[in-house]
Amino acid sequence: MSDHIRNTGPMLASPRCGANTRTSGACRSPAVHGKKRCRMHGGAQGSGAPRANRNARKHGLFTGDAIAERRQIRALLGEARKLLEGMK
């Protein structure tokens, strides 16, 4: 066994993160100095979601304009289909 004295008191007494985990328990990691969250839950510089939710804007497939355009195309195709059936 080692003669090294383990001074874990300050580490155990440090404030905890407080974020909820996926298993709905509290995160037990120590909070970043001066913050309320650990480095994994938003205490680190640059962590967290980007502003204005840029992740949601990838292709524009579900914008109002794109949905309206698809509705117009569907209506036009329906009219063309009726016109072709009337020619038979």
Side-chain angles (χ1 to χ4, degrees):
M1 194 147 180
S2 165
D3 289 334
H4 184 269
I5 299 172
R6 298 184 192 279
N7 188 10
T8 58
M11 182 182 73
L12 294 174
S14 64
R16 299 289 124 180
C17 172
N20 289 329
T21 61
R22 292 183 199 174
T23 58
S24 70
C27 176
R28 295 184 288 182
S29 297
V32 174
H33 184 71
K35 301 206 177 186
K36 293 185 177 186
R37 297 288 183 243
C38 68
R39 62 188 179 87
M40 300 296 281
H41 290 116
Q45 189 72 9
S47 63
R51 294 210 176 268
N53 196 10
R54 290 183 211 130
N55 292 336
R57 290 184 270 148
K58 288 188 178 181
H59 44 66
L61 188 63
F62 299 106
T63 61
D65 294 336
I67 293 170
E69 185 179 0
R70 287 195 297 270
R71 280 187 187 139
Q72 288 177 345
I73 291 171
R74 215 174 6 253
L76 185 63
L77 287 173
E79 290 175 15
R81 192 172 291 124
K82 286 180 185 176
L83 183 65
L84 288 173
E85 286 178 3
M87 296 175 106
K88 286 184 180 180

